[in-house]
Amino acid sequence: MQNSFTEENYLKIIHALSGREGLEVSTNALAESTSTRAASVTDMLRKLAEKGLIHYKKYQGVRLTEAGEKVAINVIRKHRLWEVFLVEKLGFGWDEVHDIAEELEHIPSDHLVERLDAFLGHPRFDPHGDPIPDAKGNLTEPDYLVLTDVQIGEKVRMMGVLDHAPSFLQHLDRAGITLGSVIEIREINEYDKSASVQINENHTLFISLEVSKNLLVQRR
Amino acid sequence: MQNSFTEENYLKIIHALSGREGLEVSTNALAESTSTRAASVTDMLRKLAEKGLIHYKKYQGVRLTEAGEKVAINVIRKHRLWEVFLVEKLGFGWDEVHDIAEELEHIPSDHLVERLDAFLGHPRFDPHGDPIPDAKGNLTEPDYLVLTDVQIGEKVRMMGVLDHAPSFLQHLDRAGITLGSVIEIREINEYDKSASVQINENHTLFISLEVSKNLLVQRR
DNA sequence: AATAATTTTTAGATTAATCTAAATTTTTTT
DNA sequence: AAAAAAATTTAGATTAATCTAAAAATTATT
């Protein structure tokens, strides 16, 4: 049988919270992420376990089964493809697409996803730099580093963000930092750990530690 | 407050069944169209009336209010725009898009609809020839005629279909009849009322009365 | 106009997803 | 290892959308 909008969301969130290592996710963490109460989460977990989508033992937290992982990754694939569509084809800003993609990701139709993927030219990354799983569900997280791990004097390329909040993305827009920007760390200010960086060999500015922690970059 | 997926569907169906004249729609007709039971329809009608979306008096059938009409037309606008997208951009056949558009039509976001509309070049008609309401909700049904009303010897242009069933559309594909085709009625066969028609001054074939009844055409 | 047939509504349940409050289990802290 | 704190589950409701069976209203037919 089919999975509901809500079930898909739980699976997607379990995937996100369990991280690369597939760690156990707690009931409270899910309640937080789904904006529901722990009791509601417990009910849903029992249901997902019954459907064979998660491994669940009372009080022990949850992990996705293979089947659950497959569903979650397909939802992520759809989410990211729709985000590419919204930005590349409809001209939305990268700060505007998340909520709409949250809806579109649940439209069922494999046929639709595959045609959308082809229409977009089989993109490998979404507008925030997140990798798009392929049709078979292969999702390889590129091993970018966080800007805080970059040494003074190094030049790196901006490849993604950890925080997807519109306010953060808009802040980057104002700073002239976009995917592909070249960032050179000039110095770290003792006072507030902010960094002086040069963007695209071009303009220089301060970015706060908070911002640095949320920028994914690649050595070149 | 927002309208649910289900509420939007009821409004859309009431709109369709009440026709151009805004006639009263019966509970049973709605049960049929929504694939539910009359009792379920009654419950929903009470709810829609409470929200001010329909005029409803017990046992008297329903009509849309101005507000309900607006919602219905917006759903129709979204449905038809998405159909254009699916056919024009993703390469789906006109017989394949209905079910997917039934889902997409409920994605909320005015911003999305307006950008989609612009991306598609503000199309006036969907892939079945149905007119697309504009952003203000103006929906002008063009006054096409049904092929059965065309005289022998007349040449007309195919502009739309009354039946949207995939099997009918596939039948037209096999007959080489598409939107814009020029159809000339050569003769009506006494025996089964089938028509001999010539398509695009090119090939000739028989079409059944059933088919003729579902073809919308325009004199030129 | 009375009766029969049809349509519609009401009454009372059901399912999915949620809730609050209370009970239980696990974890942490003395 | 008790006691306290935190996390989780259970019990019992609630809301939206649906259902079946029975009652009521309308329409059609003698």
Side-chain angles (χ1 to χ4, degrees):
Chain A
M1 82 215 68
Q2 271 256 174
N3 306 302
S4 73
F5 186 105
T6 310
E7 289 166 341
E8 287 190 351
N9 268 334
Y10 271 87
L11 295 172
K12 180 184 66 172
I13 290 170
I14 293 168
H15 178 92
L17 293 179
S18 68
R20 218 163 318 203
E21 306 82 22
L23 297 174
E24 315 272 307
V25 178
S26 75
T27 299
N28 266 356
L30 283 169
E32 166 92 51
S33 288
T34 55
S35 302
T36 62
R37 298 320 187 95
S40 311
V41 172
T42 300
D43 287 344
M44 181 56 79
L45 294 184
R46 186 175 303 108
K47 187 173 163 191
L48 292 173
E50 207 127 289
K51 287 180 111 180
L53 297 167
I54 59 173
H55 294 291
Y56 172 56
K57 268 184 255 120
K58 279 203 271 185
Y59 297 100
Q60 306 301 156
V62 285
R63 274 181 310 111
L64 294 177
T65 60
E66 292 259 323
E69 180 84 3
K70 220 162 131 180
V71 174
I73 287 184
N74 193 239
V75 173
I76 291 165
R77 171 167 161 79
K78 293 196 279 182
H79 182 102
R80 293 180 182 169
L81 284 172
W82 280 116
E83 283 200 345
V84 173
F85 169 72
L86 294 170
V87 169
E88 297 294 317
K89 302 296 183 179
L90 297 197
F92 279 98
W94 66 343
D95 57 313
E96 301 177 301
V97 296
H98 189 267
D99 291 352
I100 299 175
E102 288 284 292
E103 303 281 334
L104 288 166
E105 71 189 7
H106 301 290
I107 301 285
S109 168
D110 292 344
H111 205 171
L112 172 62
V113 187
E114 297 330 312
R115 281 185 184 260
L116 178 65
D117 184 40
F119 176 60
L120 299 173
H122 305 288
R124 310 271 317 279
F125 300 93
D126 81 8
H128 309 104
D130 295 312
I132 300 176
D134 70 19
K136 286 175 205 114
N138 301 311
L139 171 53
T140 47
E141 296 279 355
D143 53 347
Y144 298 140
L145 43 155
V146 177
L147 189 61
T148 51
D149 293 338
V150 173
Q151 304 301 312
I152 289 171
E154 266 194 284
K155 274 189 198 159
V156 294
R157 189 176 292 280
M158 146 63 164
M159 301 302 285
V161 294
L162 286 175
D163 185 352
H164 291 63
S167 60
F168 177 58
L169 300 172
Q170 287 157 14
H171 182 59
L172 295 183
D173 283 339
R174 286 189 295 269
I177 300 173
T178 60
L179 287 194
S181 292
V182 173
I183 304 178
E184 180 183 349
I185 309 276
R186 289 301 190 72
E187 60 178 313
I188 303 293
N189 304 289
E190 199 49 51
Y191 176 62
D192 61 355
K193 308 287 191 233
S194 68
S196 300
V197 300
Q198 191 177 54
I199 308 300
N200 294 327
E201 333 260 332
N202 174 334
H203 64 287
T204 302
L205 61 141
F206 290 127
I207 59 179
S208 69
L209 180 61
E210 204 48 36
V211 166
S212 295
K213 276 181 183 166
N214 283 294
L215 284 177
L216 292 173
V217 301
Q218 185 172 55
R219 294 211 170 85
R220 317 172 315 143
Chain B
M1 81 215 69
Q2 270 255 175
N3 305 302
S4 71
F5 186 105
T6 310
E7 289 167 340
E8 286 190 353
N9 268 333
Y10 271 87
L11 296 171
K12 181 184 65 171
I13 290 170
I14 293 167
H15 178 91
L17 294 179
S18 68
R20 219 164 315 207
E21 306 82 23
L23 296 175
E24 314 272 308
V25 178
S26 76
T27 299
N28 266 355
L30 281 169
E32 166 93 51
S33 289
T34 56
S35 303
T36 62
R37 298 320 186 95
S40 310
V41 172
T42 300
D43 286 343
M44 180 56 79
L45 294 184
R46 186 177 301 108
K47 187 174 165 193
L48 292 173
E50 207 126 286
K51 288 180 111 181
L53 297 168
I54 59 173
H55 295 292
Y56 171 56
K57 267 183 257 124
K58 280 203 270 186
Y59 297 99
Q60 306 303 154
V62 284
R63 273 180 312 110
L64 295 175
T65 60
E66 292 259 321
E69 180 85 4
K70 221 163 131 179
V71 174
I73 287 184
N74 193 239
V75 173
I76 290 165
R77 171 166 162 79
K78 293 196 279 181
H79 182 102
R80 294 180 181 170
L81 283 173
W82 280 116
E83 284 200 343
V84 173
F85 169 72
L86 294 171
V87 169
E88 297 294 317
K89 303 295 183 180
L90 297 196
F92 279 98
W94 66 343
D95 57 313
E96 302 177 301
V97 296
H98 188 267
D99 291 352
I100 299 176
E102 289 284 291
E103 303 282 334
L104 289 166
E105 72 188 7
H106 302 290
I107 301 286
S109 168
D110 292 345
H111 205 171
L112 172 61
V113 186
E114 297 329 311
R115 281 187 183 260
L116 178 64
D117 183 40
F119 176 60
L120 298 173
H122 304 289
R124 311 273 316 281
F125 299 93
D126 80 9
H128 309 105
D130 295 312
I132 299 175
D134 69 20
K136 286 175 205 113
N138 300 311
L139 171 53
T140 48
E141 297 279 356
D143 52 348
Y144 297 141
L145 44 155
V146 177
L147 189 61
T148 50
D149 293 338
V150 173
Q151 303 302 311
I152 289 172
E154 265 194 285
K155 274 188 200 159
V156 293
R157 189 175 292 279
M158 147 63 166
M159 301 302 285
V161 293
L162 286 176
D163 185 353
H164 291 62
S167 60
F168 177 59
L169 300 172
Q170 287 158 15
H171 182 60
L172 295 182
D173 283 339
R174 284 190 295 270
I177 300 173
T178 60
L179 289 193
S181 292
V182 174
I183 302 177
E184 180 183 347
I185 308 276
R186 289 301 189 72
E187 61 177 315
I188 303 294
N189 304 289
E190 198 49 50
Y191 175 62
D192 61 355
K193 308 286 192 234
S194 68
S196 301
V197 299
Q198 190 177 53
I199 309 300
N200 294 328
E201 334 259 333
N202 174 334
H203 63 290
T204 303
L205 62 139
F206 289 127
I207 60 178
S208 70
L209 179 62
E210 205 47 36
V211 167
S212 295
K213 276 180 182 168
N214 283 294
L215 284 177
L216 292 173
V217 301
Q218 185 172 56
R219 295 211 170 81
R220 316 173 315 144

